[in-house]
Amino acid sequence: MKDLLQLLEDDSTLTHAQLAAMTGMTEAEVSEAVAQYEKDHVILGYKTIVDWDRTHREAVTAMIEVEVTPQRGAGFDRIAQRIYQYDEVESLYLMSGGAYDLTVIISGRTLKEIAHFVGEKLATIEGVTGTATHFILKKYKEKHLIFPIQEVQEERFVFE
């Protein structure tokens, strides 16, 4: 039998009937368990991963390393809460083992939009002492899903 949470994380489109068959639970037990996981915030939401490079939408994604001074009594949490309030922030992680404390993943339409966020919003937060921005050029794998490599179409010219 497989773990219900692992199955949902791997494919949130599975129906309760499919999940019941895969876990050995009844549909009612699956429904009850999922409802409890949602209530307890074990399941935070359901997301679709889109390969935006295969669409007409232009987007830039950046990983920003942020150096901060922890605050007395709140550590990194208060600064993290300020940062994740911004709509641009997709993900935020507390890190160890490097020169920076937090890693922020953001997306925008242009490099200029990302630069504006870093310079005008992120860097001005009290306690932020430094940033380093890295632009993601191409995604190969995210959340265990592989982004298929697109075949490059070569243009051929015929001269007569």
Side-chain angles (χ1 to χ4, degrees):
M1 279 188 276
K2 295 193 176 187
D3 178 62
L4 177 60
L5 284 173
Q6 187 64 57
L7 289 167
L8 283 169
E9 184 178 46
D10 292 343
D11 184 356
S12 65
T13 65
L14 293 170
T15 66
H16 287 192
Q18 291 170 315
L19 290 165
M22 296 168 88
T23 61
M25 301 167 72
T26 67
E27 281 188 61
E29 290 171 330
V30 167
S31 295
E32 185 178 314
V34 168
Q36 190 64 48
Y37 286 141
E38 290 171 347
K39 180 181 176 195
D40 294 342
H41 301 286
V42 173
I43 295 175
L44 298 174
Y46 302 90
K47 286 293 249 181
T48 299
I49 296 175
V50 176
D51 186 352
W52 290 108
D53 289 341
R54 293 179 179 267
T55 71
H56 295 294
R57 181 177 144 192
E58 291 294 321
V60 178
T61 303
M63 180 183 77
I64 307 162
E65 296 173 327
V66 184
E67 186 178 354
V68 301
T69 302
Q71 297 180 338
R72 183 182 302 263
F76 297 100
D77 293 345
R78 190 167 293 133
I79 295 171
Q81 288 171 337
R82 293 256 339 258
I83 294 170
Y84 69 59
Q85 297 301 317
Y86 289 109
D87 289 335
E88 297 92 336
V89 175
E90 293 179 3
S91 301
L92 175 62
Y93 306 101
L94 178 62
M95 307 300 289
S96 72
Y100 291 87
D101 305 301
L102 300 171
T103 297
V104 180
I105 308 293
I106 70 167
S107 287
R109 289 179 296 129
T110 63
L111 295 174
K112 187 175 183 179
E113 199 173 273
I114 302 276
H116 179 266
F117 172 81
V118 174
E120 301 296 321
K121 295 179 180 178
L122 186 59
T124 62
I125 294 174
E126 185 177 342
V128 171
T129 59
T131 64
T133 303
H134 309 275
F135 291 97
I136 296 173
L137 302 177
K138 185 174 186 175
K139 291 182 183 179
Y140 293 100
K141 187 173 183 178
E142 183 176 316
K143 295 295 235 168
H144 305 285
L145 296 174
I146 296 170
F147 289 70
I149 297 175
Q150 294 180 3
E151 296 285 327
V152 177
Q153 296 291 330
E154 290 187 29
E155 291 186 32
R156 295 180 185 216
F157 298 99
V158 176
F159 298 100
E160 294 181 30

